[in-house]
Amino acid sequence: DTEVTQTPKHLVMGMTNKKSLKCEQHMGHRAMYWYKQKAKKPPELMFVYSYEKLSINESVPSRFSPECPNSSLLNLHLHALQPEDSALYLCASSQIGRGRSTETQYFGPGTRLLVL
Amino acid sequence: ILNVEQSPQSLHVQEGDSTNFTCSFPSSNFYALHWYRWETAKSPEALFVMTLNGDEKKKGRISATLNTKEGYSYLYIKGSQPEDSATYLCATSPFGNEKLTFGTGTRLTIIP
């Protein structure tokens, strides 16, 4: 199974809502990633977890809160978002992370988020 | 070059023709070059990871070359088929860091 799944596929939320994005993989990977892609822009890294510990935080605002409850699951908790946070949120996983530059990252199909 | 850049932004190619496009990147702090293929509404699919100057990798009708000294990679598709229609993304990663920095992609459309 080389699949990374993400739920939901689409999400519409108001600026006062709290919601969560979920990502799951069953490849035995120990590194998981959140990327954000705005329209016509490249995906940008937000967070990296390696062995369930946060290893990279790309100065993301605190209204985005990642969580890695176990090695297969990655959540992104959303609270008090702004309309400019509307984007495609991609999850990825790789074998180990920990600075391994040549590891292939396997991506999910993304959650398209609209903040009203 | 300060960022990862891809050209052209979009490309229409007749079925059966061969095509290629470019990824340019800063050669300083570079370690690995990743190519991905991303069909609409699907997950980005990894094609190649390359590190060595002069390296060439091949997967079916798709191949890629890497020039680390001048900071570019070419992706070639031979005998384009409709299923090749997708956005092709390249990304770099520095040594000792799994962070990928992506280009904006080349959107390829194959005309039957």
Side-chain angles (χ1 to χ4, degrees):
Chain A
D1 181 7
T2 58
E3 196 180 15
V4 176
T5 58
Q6 290 187 243
T7 54
K9 286 197 168 105
H10 301 274
L11 180 62
V12 180
M13 61 186 289
M15 289 189 282
T16 57
N17 292 157
K18 282 185 184 181
K19 296 284 184 185
S20 297
L21 309 184
K22 292 186 188 305
C23 174
E24 193 166 2
Q25 56 86 17
H26 295 289
M27 294 179 275
H29 289 172
R30 303 309 298 270
M32 296 187 78
Y33 308 75
W34 281 115
Y35 287 84
K36 174 181 177 177
Q37 189 194 27
K38 293 188 68 78
K40 298 191 189 301
K41 298 283 188 185
E44 290 183 344
L45 183 67
M46 299 173 74
F47 302 105
V48 181
Y49 272 83
S50 183
Y51 288 79
E52 295 97 70
K53 286 188 173 19
L54 184 65
S55 59
I56 297 178
N57 177 342
E58 289 288 300
S59 303
V60 178
S62 59
R63 57 186 184 269
F64 295 92
S65 175
E67 180 199 17
C68 190
N70 61 57
S71 59
S72 301
L73 287 173
L74 184 66
N75 299 320
L76 187 63
H77 302 298
L78 313 172
H79 175 53
L81 293 195
Q82 304 297 309
E84 59 264 29
D85 297 322
S86 299
L88 180 70
Y89 288 84
L90 290 162
C91 174
S93 71
S94 69
Q95 268 194 309
I96 292 171
R98 287 189 172 172
R100 283 164 170 76
S101 315
T102 57
E103 273 191 357
T104 295
Q105 293 181 24
Y106 295 83
F107 282 83
T111 293
R112 192 161 295 282
L113 173 67
L114 178 62
V115 182
L116 299 175
Chain B
I1 293 177
L2 297 177
N3 299 312
V4 180
E5 295 173 1
Q6 292 188 246
S7 61
Q9 279 190 333
S10 67
L11 193 52
H12 289 74
V13 173
Q14 204 69 38
E15 182 177 352
D17 287 353
S18 297
T19 187
N20 66 84
F21 29 92
T22 308
C23 172
S24 303
F25 53 87
S27 48
S28 62
N29 201 29
F30 165 86
Y31 188 72
L33 191 287
H34 304 246
W35 278 103
Y36 283 85
R37 179 173 171 276
W38 194 359
E39 288 182 69
T40 304
K42 294 192 176 178
S43 306
E45 174 198 352
L47 292 174
F48 307 112
V49 181
M50 307 168 77
T51 57
L52 298 175
N53 185 45
D55 201 6
E56 180 173 350
K57 295 216 171 177
K58 194 173 178 183
K59 187 176 183 177
R61 294 178 292 99
I62 304 177
S63 61
T65 60
L66 180 65
N67 183 321
T68 60
K69 292 186 190 313
E70 295 180 41
Y72 64 84
S73 175
Y74 292 138
L75 191 81
Y76 299 90
I77 302 178
K78 191 175 173 185
S80 303
Q81 299 297 309
E83 58 266 28
D84 297 328
S85 295
T87 295
Y88 291 82
L89 286 171
C90 68
T92 61
S93 51
F95 179 74
N97 192 322
E98 61 270 48
K99 176 183 174 179
L100 294 181
T101 300
F102 282 91
T104 48
T106 292
R107 187 173 183 139
L108 176 65
T109 304
I110 306 302
I111 305 162

